Amino acid sequence: MAKVAFIGLGVMGYPMAGYLKTKGGHEVTVYNRTTAKAEKWANEYGGKFAETPRGAAEDCDFVFACVGNDDDLRSVTTGPDGAFHGLKAGSIFIDNTTASADVARELYAAAKEKGCGFIDAPVSGGQAGAENGVLTVMCGGDEGDFDKAKPVIDCFAKFVGLMGSSGAGQLTKMVNQICIAGVVQGLSEAIHFAKKADLDVEKVISAVRGGAAQSWQMENRWETMEQGKFDYGFAVDWMRKDLGICLQTANETGARLPVTALVDQFYAEVQAMGGNRWDTSSLIARLENADRK
């Protein structure tokens, strides 16, 4: 059993922290910007809550964070009352936020100055993966820190891998989001085409799902996409944040992402339709919205 802190109790962080307590048996202290939510978690799981990130991190062996973006991450780590001010020497900070590789490297260096470890460890699997404890975790950092942290991360994961040095976890998550963007757009166009051609979409999916066209998105989203239901996963606002990171990093590295850039603009159109909180499969809505104009 280790002393663990978890900072950020959103739709992902809340169940992730729960698995650290229930599956791992760790002593867990949580922090959330809304204290009432932290108190609710503590009552539900039998853990503790702190008033500040610093208070949560004090005397902990491992400190996790899952917040919104680079600025949020800086705020809860190196900002006033940030967790880095409470880290003890030898502790390891594991960041599950999807953020930039630049901020990962920045915080890695800051942690090393304090004699601590830092692992960028963004996750994939969505809210359902977090609630079921089967997330994929892509890590960047030092091998020694990773080896110590992996058994703890395993509490909420089905796969945990070290992708390389600091920042490599975030870069791998960018690859993940680039893949998803293209697949969802392709599936949206395929379903839209089938409907316009007066095909039975269920029969069509049954025919193609066993071959090369198969994907997680097809298996889990085709039916809700056809029905125009978009409250089953990762929000468009967050996907645009992630794709923005991908496109900025591509600009810095010289990578060319023409499809990703186009899909990002398609998501902007979904936002303009009021779909900010719809899930990423809502790309099909812009196609069908164009039909109604």
Side-chain angles (χ1 to χ4, degrees), residues 21 49 52 61-62 77 79 125 156 161 167 172 183 188-190 195 204 210 214 234 236 247 253 262 277 289:
K21 186 72 172 67
F49 71 96
T52 64
D61 304 301
F62 302 93
T77 53
F156 53 72
T172 303
V183 169
S188 297
E189 293 182 15
K195 291 169 74 173
V204 170
Q214 190 273 345
F234 195 61
V236 168
L247 293 168
T253 60
L262 185 60
R277 301 303 300 171
N289 185 60

Side-chain angles (χ1 to χ4, degrees), residues 4-219:
V4 178
F6 203 104
I7 298 166
L9 300 176
V11 295
M12 302 292 287
Y14 196 100
M16 290 163 69
Y19 276 104
L20 291 169
K21 186 72 172 67
T22 58
K23 185 176 179 180
H26 300 297
E27 182 181 332
V28 182
T29 301
V30 298
Y31 165 81
N32 193 67
R33 184 168 49 188
T34 304
T35 304
K37 196 167 189 180
E39 188 172 7
K40 177 186 175 185
W41 184 95
N43 289 334
E44 181 176 346
Y45 289 100
K48 302 175 183 178
F49 71 96
E51 299 288 343
T52 64
R54 177 176 185 163
E58 287 177 349
D59 200 36
C60 283
D61 304 301
F62 302 93
V63 181
F64 289 80
C66 190
V67 294
N69 55 38
D70 286 20
D71 289 340
D72 294 333
L73 185 57
R74 289 188 179 99
S75 176
V76 300
T77 53
T78 58
D81 283 324
F84 276 27
H85 302 299
L87 292 178
K88 67 178 183 180
S91 62
I92 300 173
F93 193 100
I94 302 111
D95 176 37
N96 299 125
T97 308
T98 295
S100 70
D102 288 341
V103 77
R105 296 175 186 126
E106 172 190 321
L107 295 178
Y108 169 87
K112 287 299 177 183
E113 288 182 2
K114 292 181 171 292
C116 302
F118 182 91
I119 299 172
D120 51 290
V123 301
S124 179
Q127 183 176 347
E131 290 173 348
N132 293 310
V134 290
L135 292 169
T136 293
V137 189
M138 301 152 271
C139 300
D142 295 341
E143 188 171 359
D145 292 335
F146 173 80
D147 290 342
K148 292 176 184 176
K150 184 180 181 299
V152 186
I153 302 172
D154 278 336
C155 293
F156 53 72
K158 67 175 180 180
F159 171 85
V160 184
L162 182 63
M163 302 295 105
S165 60
S166 180
Q170 296 295 352
L171 292 168
T172 303
K173 179 61 184 287
M174 294 176 210
V175 172
N176 185 80
Q177 301 305 73
I178 291 165
C179 290
I180 290 173
V183 169
V184 175
Q185 178 60 22
L187 181 60
S188 297
E189 293 182 15
I191 294 172
H192 175 69
F193 176 87
K195 291 169 74 173
K196 296 293 284 185
D198 293 325
L199 292 170
D200 183 316
V201 177
E202 183 175 3
K203 288 182 178 179
V204 170
I205 295 297
S206 295
V208 303
R209 73 195 315 170
Q214 190 273 345
S215 67
W216 185 96
Q217 300 293 336
M218 179 180 288
E219 292 299 318

Side-chain angles (χ1 to χ4, degrees), residues 221 224-225 229-236 267 270 275-283:
R221 293 288 180 264
T224 53
M225 289 169 73
K229 297 179 180 179
F230 307 122
D231 55 353
Y232 293 91
F234 195 61
V236 168
Y267 277 123
V270 175
N276 303 67
R277 301 303 300 171
W278 293 348
D279 71 59
T280 52
S281 69
S282 58
L283 282 174

